[in-house]
């Protein structure tokens, strides 16, 4: 119903798989798998109603709470349990070890990428193989080992090509370009913005319109996101892909959770025909002009709906 102003929420249904090595605010591995759309979102181990969270889940919780050292203890214990040496356990432990260094990197993570890669290969799981290759490649890039990094990223690219995933191929090619550069990866605010831009462009590619905001479309969590919703309703937009960067669950990759708190990124962000629409909330771009851009991009449009 166009008069309601409600939009169907559709976001990436693929996980970053939180085991990628360097944290989001240093380099992009957490973003890569979601941008490439390889890994289905699912709980790593799940929570049993009687026994409570698993050791892997406890490790994940500690990472989200900014306590990588405790996460390392949980994950190392998980690996020692019968059947505990899984791809996910090794990947998340690699992430925890990396975060212990505050993003500077450590060789201690590398054996866990190697172990995860072997397990994924033995299982014939190409999705996990691609995920591991991207994470391993970025860890090696951050450690200054460009040759080894390129080998891993070339493998990820081959898997993307076999999957006929053009967006993933383009994304991995960007990562390979970064690995080839002699300069070290960007740090701080520049890295945050570049990482996010790579992800957002990859996700928006080939789509009429994608909105990244804080909160769901029906209940924005801040004033700027509310303004964005109001302007889209005023433009009569009745269908676009909406990504709530604050929300966990089946529709939003885990790696996006940290983004909502970054002081270096501003939301909402609107991408039309794969390109960010700059200053779209400003008065200079009227609702009528926004409507025209959305219509030309092929976004579903209805009657303009002004806020009461």
């Amino acid at each position: 119903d166009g008069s309601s102003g409600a939009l169907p929420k559709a976001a990436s249904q693929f996980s970053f798989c939180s085991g990628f090595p360097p944290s989001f605010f240093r380099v992009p591995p957490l973003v890569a798998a979601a941008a490439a759309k390889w890994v289905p979102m699912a709980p790593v181990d799940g929570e049993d109603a009687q026994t409570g969270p698993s050791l892997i889940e406890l490790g994940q919780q500690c990472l989200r709470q900014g306590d990588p050292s405790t996460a390392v203890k949980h994950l190392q214990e998980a690996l020692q349990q019968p059947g505990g040496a899984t791809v996910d356990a090794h990947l998340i432990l690699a992430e925890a070890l990396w975060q212990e260094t505050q993003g500077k990197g450590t060789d201690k993570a590398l054996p866990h990428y190697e172990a995860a890669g072997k397990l994924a290969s033995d299982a014939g799981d190409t999705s996990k193989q691609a995920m591991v290759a991207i994470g391993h490649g970025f860890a090696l890039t951050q450690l200054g080992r460009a040759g080894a990094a390129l080998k891993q990223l070339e493998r990820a690219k081959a898997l993307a090509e076999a999957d006929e995933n053009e967006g993933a191929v383009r994304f991995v090619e960007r990562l390979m370009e970064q690995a080839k550069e002699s300069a070290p990866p960007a740090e701080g605010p520049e890295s945050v913005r570049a990482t996010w831009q790579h992800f957002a462009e990859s996700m928006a590619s080939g789509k009429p319109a994608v909105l990244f905001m804080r909160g769901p479309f029906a209940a924005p969590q801040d004033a700027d996101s509310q303004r964005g919703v109001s302007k889209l309703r005023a433009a009569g937009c009745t269908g676009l892909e909406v990504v709530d960067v604050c929300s966990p669950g089946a529709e939003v990759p885990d790696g996006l959770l940290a983004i909502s708190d970054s002081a270096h990124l501003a939301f909402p962000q609107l991408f039309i025909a794969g390109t960010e629409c700059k200053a779209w909330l400003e008065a200079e771009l009227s609702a009528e002009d926004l409507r025209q851009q959305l219509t030309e991009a092929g976004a579903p449009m209805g009657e303009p709906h002004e806020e009461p």
Side-chain angles (χ1 to χ4, degrees):
D1 184 354
S3 63
S4 70
L7 300 179
K9 183 182 178 187
S12 170
Q13 296 181 355
F14 301 85
S15 171
F16 289 93
C17 191
S18 45
F20 284 120
S23 66
F24 175 81
F25 295 105
R26 300 286 292 189
V27 290
L30 285 172
V31 177
K37 297 186 178 179
W38 270 316
V39 187
M41 184 72 173
V44 172
D45 247 353
E47 180 174 333
D48 185 273
Q50 295 181 345
T51 62
S54 69
L55 288 167
I56 292 181
E57 204 162 54
L58 288 172
Q60 288 180 306
Q61 291 173 5
C62 290
L63 282 178
R64 293 175 185 174
Q65 294 165 2
D67 186 3
S69 295
T70 303
V72 167
K73 294 177 182 178
H74 286 309
L75 295 162
Q76 287 176 335
E77 184 178 349
L79 286 175
Q80 299 304 314
Q81 292 188 332
T86 64
V87 173
D88 291 325
H90 280 292
L91 286 178
I92 300 169
L93 179 53
E95 167 75 3
L97 289 165
W98 202 281
Q99 287 193 21
E100 273 194 312
T101 70
Q102 299 182 346
K104 295 177 182 178
T106 173
D107 287 351
K108 293 178 181 180
L110 299 183
H112 294 289
Y113 282 101
E114 294 164 4
K118 186 177 186 306
L119 287 167
S121 179
D122 290 345
D125 190 333
T126 56
S127 293
K128 289 273 178 91
Q129 289 178 58
M131 175 181 65
V132 173
I134 292 176
H136 197 177
F138 259 95
L140 291 164
T141 299
Q142 185 76 7
L143 293 169
R145 301 175 191 176
L150 285 170
K151 183 177 179 180
Q152 294 295 329
L153 294 173
E154 285 167 359
R155 176 167 175 72
K157 181 182 176 182
L159 288 164
E161 290 173 337
D163 196 37
E164 297 183 351
N165 189 334
E166 295 181 4
V169 172
R170 290 194 299 270
F171 192 82
V172 175
E173 286 175 342
R174 289 188 180 187
L175 309 187
M176 293 173 69
E177 290 173 5
Q178 180 176 331
K180 291 175 183 177
E181 294 175 357
S182 57
E187 299 184 5
E190 181 183 350
S191 176
V192 175
R193 288 189 287 267
T195 296
W196 169 256
Q197 193 71 19
H198 287 331
F199 165 71
E201 288 176 354
S202 296
M203 187 170 182
S205 177
K207 300 172 183 176
V210 179
L211 176 67
F212 299 92
M213 61 179 286
R214 291 190 172 109
F217 195 87
Q221 291 190 7
D222 60 27
D224 286 339
S225 291
Q226 179 62 64
R227 287 174 56 213
V229 168
S230 297
K231 191 157 189 175
L232 286 164
R233 286 175 171 165
C237 185
T238 60
L240 82 168
E241 192 160 321
V242 178
V243 179
D244 174 4
V245 300
C246 300
S247 176
E251 292 182 329
V252 178
D254 286 343
L256 282 178
L257 300 181
I259 296 176
S260 63
D261 295 325
S262 173
H264 308 304
L265 295 174
F267 294 100
Q269 295 178 5
L270 178 64
F271 284 72
I272 300 177
T275 302
E276 185 178 3
C277 185
K278 301 286 188 179
W280 67 286
L281 290 181
E282 303 302 324
E284 287 76 8
L285 181 65
S286 66
E288 292 77 14
D289 291 337
L290 179 59
R291 179 182 177 85
Q292 181 177 349
Q293 290 188 30
L294 289 165
T295 300
E296 291 174 353
M301 304 298 291
E303 292 300 317
H305 176 78
E306 296 291 342
E307 294 292 312

